[in-house]
Amino acid sequence: MFSLKLQTKVLLPPASLPATLLTGRKTVRVITALWMILICGPAWAVDLSVHYIRVETPTPPTLSNLDPIPDDLGLAGAQTALDDNNTTGKFLGQTYALDITELSPQDDVLGAARAALAETPFLILDAPSDVQLAIADLPEAQDALLFNVSAETPDLRSDACRGNMLHTAPSVSMRTDALAQFFVTRRWTDLAMIFGTYEDDRLFADAMRVSLQKFGISEPAEKEWAFDADMRRNAAQEVPLFTQDLGDYDALIVADEVDDFGRYIPFNTWQARPVAGTEGLTPKVWAPVVEQWGAAQLQSRFTEAHGRDMASKDYAAWAAVRTLGEAVTRTTAADAPTLRAFILSDAFELAGFKGRPLTYRGWNGQLRQPIPLVHSRALVASAPLEGFLHQRNELDTLGLDKPNSNCTAFED
Amino acid sequence: MPLRRFACPLLLSMAVFIATDVQAGEIWVTNEKDDTVSVIDADTLEVIETYETGERPRGITFSKDFSRLYICASDSDTVQVMDPNTGRILHDLPSGEDPEQFVLHPDDRHLYIANEDDAITTVVDTETRQVVAQIDVGIEPEGMAVSPDGKIAITTSETTNMAHWIDTDTKELFANTLVDSRPRHAEFVKDGTQMWVSSEIGGTITVFDVATQAEIAKISFEVDGVHPDRVQPVGFEFTNGDTHAFVALGPSNHVAVVNAETFEVEEYILVGRRVWHMAFNADRSRLFTTNGVSGDVTVIDVASRTPEKSIKVGRFPWGAAFRPKPE
């Protein structure tokens, strides 16, 4: 609880701040904290610990090394949310702790999960979907509450859903639906698509096709990217030829989730057309260009603490830990069944710096959230876009709506 | 006789003249993304001056005698003091980092400032220009209020979702009360017996009994044709006698009129896009709302509760304050 305070920086240039004041502040802080514990301790004191399990996924080689993946991707978001929770908690006598286990796929992941579940029922899972399912199916996990912060597989929100697993990562369909809404709004209805050969690329391309159909856009002309040449040297020669036989189109969709070739597509296409998908205009959970709705504050808090921009997985991990914090604050409970019931109820809402309260879908445990459509320099739009209506919640125009999900694990 | 007949209309017209003269005033509006303040003539409804400020001006308030204007220049990490008669910045006050909103204590001397990026409320003496105290509060403090007797100051914290009650004598917290998500603005009303807090994402206003800090009412809003998620209460102000509150509802682009006795919403008034804050003219017959996204100010006729005019100001107008027109 107090270790957090070490991060609080001095606010004013020392010259303008008398030394006594600095001392005074520290004293005030301790007294206030003690006072809060004395007053609130017996009735409200709650300790909650969260265990973050990360299973490294091997990243395939890519053409460029321009954007290295941060080592603390996801973890830094959880840490920021932990700090947020503890700041609130100090006024309520609530403390939060975060444990981290990092594993490689060869390690005994299930053994590590069992050990974590022996300590706390609250796990953050940053792992491939099959690993997450294996953890969710452990007997020890049946009364636990797991948060998926990484896997975007739609199946996890449908046939393969688990009642003990909530998803703060969006399904890839939520992102492709956001892009499809943008195409409809701009009347870019004649599309072409290039997709990579990795599983995640195909997942994105599949979801994109479903989204286009969902919003009444005809099938795109398609090509698979199967080159293995080094595009830093000859993108200018290769890409025009590669895209020449796609014919004419309004926009080119790139499905390159592993960030292999996508960066060489813009400005090199045969037709002078905008690029969208995983390159150009991209649907994301979070990006440095998101600044409205108080997002600038979260961004600067994050950057100050971790020395880099906040990424989508950081946001998903932040949302998971903040979800628990919000539920504990409102219920003063710390047991998984109470918190799960509250999180899935109408009473729950999370202020997620996206302009709307974030809630969970009662039919598959997916966090409802707006999807920013961004390029590297600015926010272009935020889905759901204006005019896409829904009988219940406009956010449910993104991803698997109740009738489209085969999930039954939440029907209790 | 002829003289009397002549004199009466003259006196009458003089009375009218004096009355309008007393009412004459200006509305000062901070333009968050233009680094300026716009000065609107509250009678002609025209922008008469635009002055430069520090970076990202948000909160704005006048000293009691209206001789000084305080401006939260958030990205300059300072509170600026402006001579409103010349538009000249007189000096800066130490404010802590990222000052967003503040409130001037009834002693006309101490500013209570919310430091959004630092989870701190800073108290500054405007005469000695020194920081008097810094008080730890929740994350992203924003809304600031002080009771009419000056004994209690309130800070609301947007991410901690609390109203923090500060004893202004000891400069320490004596209560922390939870409200709905993202509290943005606080006001004491009815001679300081009630304290209202708006929650932007929660979509509510919570009314507290000041003596006990107990919640006595929660006000919800419902705008026809607007999804509840977009109805986001932010700034609010009270009519004469605190009978009604006018509440800015953010991206729903409406201002609600709330009966402060029954806590019922009586009316919704369409204004510009993403309405933030507001200020009344002298007799509170007109209300001026800042509309962030559309970059304008809507003038509302308070009696008829209808929008009268839109006035184009700078980019992303945010705060608003009234002063009587100088001689």
Side-chain angles (χ1 to χ4, degrees):
Chain A
M1 183 166 164
F2 292 106
S3 64
L4 274 176
K5 282 294 155 196
L6 298 174
Q7 293 168 9
T8 307
K9 57 198 169 308
V10 177
L11 299 163
L12 299 162
S16 65
L17 192 68
T20 49
L21 183 59
L22 276 174
T23 329
R25 260 199 64 208
K26 275 180 192 159
T27 316
V28 166
R29 185 180 299 146
V30 173
I31 289 169
T32 307
L34 286 174
W35 178 83
M36 291 311 299
I37 291 164
L38 284 174
I39 299 292
C40 310
W44 288 21
V46 177
D47 292 322
L48 184 133
S49 84
V50 186
H51 203 116
Y52 191 117
I53 295 181
R54 177 157 83 165
V55 181
E56 302 271 352
T57 40
T59 47
T62 54
L63 289 176
S64 162
N65 308 315
L66 279 175
D67 298 304
I69 297 166
D71 289 336
D72 60 351
L73 186 65
L75 297 170
Q79 182 67 49
T80 299
L82 184 81
D83 294 352
D84 289 0
N85 286 352
N86 274 323
T87 305
T88 302
K90 78 179 175 188
F91 299 110
L92 298 168
Q94 300 166 349
T95 52
Y96 299 82
L98 177 69
D99 295 304
I100 297 163
T101 301
E102 295 188 67
L103 303 157
S104 68
Q106 298 83 352
D107 293 334
D108 178 13
V109 174
L110 293 183
R114 275 196 201 94
L117 286 165
E119 301 295 324
T120 175
F122 306 108
L123 301 193
I124 309 288
L125 301 181
D126 177 357
S129 53
D130 56 332
V131 176
Q132 295 206 22
L133 286 177
I135 294 173
D137 290 340
L138 287 171
E140 293 87 342
Q142 292 321 297
D143 291 321
L145 191 55
L146 317 177
F147 288 86
N148 161 26
V149 301
S150 64
E152 297 194 352
T153 332
D155 202 35
L156 276 183
R157 285 89 174 160
S158 186
D159 292 294
C161 74
R162 297 293 188 269
N164 55 357
M165 188 189 286
L166 305 177
H167 311 270
T168 54
S171 65
V172 66
S173 320
M174 287 168 70
R175 295 197 294 123
T176 54
D177 280 352
L179 193 53
Q181 289 188 0
F182 185 83
F183 291 148
V184 171
T185 304
R186 283 286 190 280
R187 302 190 185 190
W188 296 352
T189 51
D190 187 8
L191 299 161
M193 178 158 72
I194 307 174
F195 55 96
T197 53
Y198 292 100
E199 193 192 335
D200 282 351
D201 302 343
R202 292 184 177 277
L203 208 62
F204 186 94
D206 288 344
M208 194 72 243
R209 289 184 201 103
V210 173
S211 295
L212 295 179
Q213 192 182 26
K214 176 175 170 180
F215 291 101
I217 302 175
S218 52
E219 285 179 21
E222 295 188 17
K223 273 189 97 169
E224 185 182 74
W225 181 269
F227 284 87
D228 49 14
D230 186 343
M231 284 301 124
R232 272 181 293 190
R233 268 175 227 126
N234 55 15
Q237 286 97 40
E238 294 294 340
V239 175
L241 295 172
F242 182 78
T243 54
Q244 189 176 11
D245 57 355
L246 287 168
D248 198 6
Y249 48 84
D250 297 325
L252 177 64
I253 303 167
V254 175
D256 172 32
E257 286 277 62
V258 304
D259 200 13
D260 182 16
F261 61 93
R263 68 174 75 229
Y264 302 108
I265 303 297
F267 306 104
N268 280 322
T269 50
W270 184 260
Q271 298 279 350
R273 296 289 180 269
V275 170
T278 60
E279 197 61 45
L281 181 69
T282 53
K284 285 193 171 173
V285 175
W286 196 249
V289 294
V290 176
E291 58 175 348
Q292 262 200 330
W293 313 110
Q297 273 77 250
L298 178 60
Q299 303 273 25
S300 63
R301 207 155 69 230
F302 183 94
T303 304
E304 199 159 306
H306 305 289
R308 63 173 176 86
D309 288 333
M310 189 172 185
S312 291
K313 195 186 279 182
D314 297 313
Y315 183 87
W318 177 87
V321 177
R322 275 293 298 133
T323 293
L324 286 170
E326 187 64 23
V328 170
T329 301
R330 301 291 170 186
T331 61
T332 65
D335 63 293
T338 306
L339 295 187
R340 180 184 180 275
F342 179 76
I343 289 166
L344 290 169
S345 75
D346 291 341
F348 177 84
E349 57 183 20
L350 180 66
F353 304 95
K354 289 189 170 193
R356 290 167 184 250
L358 309 185
T359 54
Y360 285 84
R361 288 180 184 149
W363 58 90
N364 64 1
Q366 171 67 54
L367 181 71
R368 291 185 179 97
Q369 54 183 314
I371 300 289
L373 290 153
V374 302
H375 60 76
S376 61
R377 301 262 301 147
L379 175 80
V380 177
S382 182
L385 275 81
E386 209 173 326
F388 290 90
L389 304 177
H390 191 280
Q391 67 274 25
R392 199 169 32 245
N393 186 328
E394 284 160 23
L395 291 171
D396 288 340
T397 62
L398 304 172
L400 289 175
D401 198 3
K402 197 171 184 178
N404 313 115
S405 169
N406 295 327
C407 182
T408 55
F410 287 80
E411 293 169 1
D412 42 38
Chain B
M1 270 308 176
L3 188 67
R4 254 184 92 185
R5 210 178 287 156
F6 177 68
C8 277
L10 183 73
L11 280 172
L12 205 72
S13 68
M14 272 178 73
V16 169
F17 176 74
I18 289 162
T20 51
D21 193 48
V22 166
Q23 282 168 26
E26 296 166 349
I27 303 293
W28 288 57
V29 172
T30 51
N31 299 306
E32 188 181 347
K33 300 222 167 168
D34 256 357
D35 300 348
T36 56
V37 286
S38 301
V39 185
I40 297 168
D41 185 308
D43 298 303
T44 65
L45 309 184
E46 304 283 346
V47 174
I48 50 174
E49 287 290 353
T50 303
Y51 296 119
E52 286 186 11
T53 66
E55 289 173 42
R56 203 177 176 202
R58 290 193 281 181
I60 179 171
T61 195
F62 283 98
S63 63
K64 260 188 189 167
D65 64 358
F66 302 99
S67 67
R68 281 161 296 156
L69 175 68
Y70 300 106
I71 304 161
C72 283
S74 299
D75 284 359
S76 298
D77 296 332
T78 191
V79 167
Q80 296 185 306
V81 184
M82 182 184 271
D83 174 356
N85 295 320
T86 63
R88 203 165 62 84
I89 301 290
L90 300 172
H91 55 265
D92 290 351
L93 292 172
S95 67
E97 250 185 73
D98 195 21
E100 175 159 6
Q101 274 214 64
F102 51 18
V103 64
L104 186 60
H105 191 273
D107 66 11
D108 198 28
R109 178 166 173 177
H110 290 94
L111 276 176
Y112 283 70
I113 305 167
N115 297 120
E116 189 167 28
D117 271 1
D118 267 331
I120 275 176
T121 296
T122 298
V123 187
V124 174
D125 183 332
T126 58
E127 284 176 23
T128 64
R129 303 180 198 173
Q130 294 288 319
V131 172
V132 175
Q134 291 195 307
I135 303 148
D136 279 354
V137 292
I139 295 172
E140 291 167 36
E142 163 142 354
M144 294 295 314
V146 63
S147 60
D149 63 8
K151 289 186 173 154
I152 306 170
I154 298 287
T155 301
T156 67
S157 49
E158 286 174 17
T159 292
T160 297
N161 302 324
M162 282 182 183
H164 305 281
W165 302 66
I166 299 166
D167 180 328
T168 55
D169 286 332
T170 63
K171 311 281 189 292
E172 285 184 36
L173 302 179
F174 67 92
N176 299 283
T177 46
L178 275 173
V179 293
D180 288 334
S181 290
R182 255 185 117 62
R184 295 298 293 245
H185 190 80
E187 291 277 346
F188 282 89
V189 284
K190 299 186 188 294
D191 301 320
T193 57
Q194 286 181 7
M195 200 274 294
W196 292 34
V197 176
S198 63
S199 293
E200 184 181 32
I201 291 291
T204 57
I205 284 182
T206 307
V207 181
F208 289 97
D209 173 53
V210 170
T212 60
Q213 299 98 48
E215 181 180 322
I216 51 175
K218 193 166 272 188
I219 303 162
S220 299
F221 304 89
E222 203 171 312
V223 183
D224 267 356
V226 179
H227 192 276
D229 286 1
R230 313 273 305 165
V231 179
Q232 303 180 353
V234 198
F236 54 90
E237 292 292 335
F238 289 83
T239 55
N240 285 327
D242 290 349
T243 61
H244 290 84
F246 281 69
V247 183
L249 296 177
S252 74
N253 309 335
H254 281 77
V255 166
V257 186
V258 178
N259 183 313
E261 300 301 324
T262 64
F263 306 120
E264 301 283 327
V265 181
E266 294 182 354
E267 202 135 6
Y268 294 97
I269 304 163
L270 183 66
V271 295
R273 295 182 63 200
R274 199 165 185 198
V275 55
W276 276 118
H277 288 281
M278 57 187 75
F280 282 105
N281 64 351
D283 64 359
R284 305 201 182 195
S285 61
R286 274 174 170 159
L287 181 67
F288 296 75
T289 71
T290 56
N291 312 316
V293 172
S294 50
D296 53 21
V297 164
T298 302
V299 186
I300 294 171
D301 179 68
V302 171
S304 66
R305 297 177 181 176
T306 49
E308 222 177 299
K309 191 184 174 185
S310 289
I311 305 166
K312 181 84 191 137
V313 288
R315 293 189 296 176
F316 289 80
W318 199 92
F322 166 84
R323 77 156 181 166
K325 210 175 180 68
E327 292 300 311

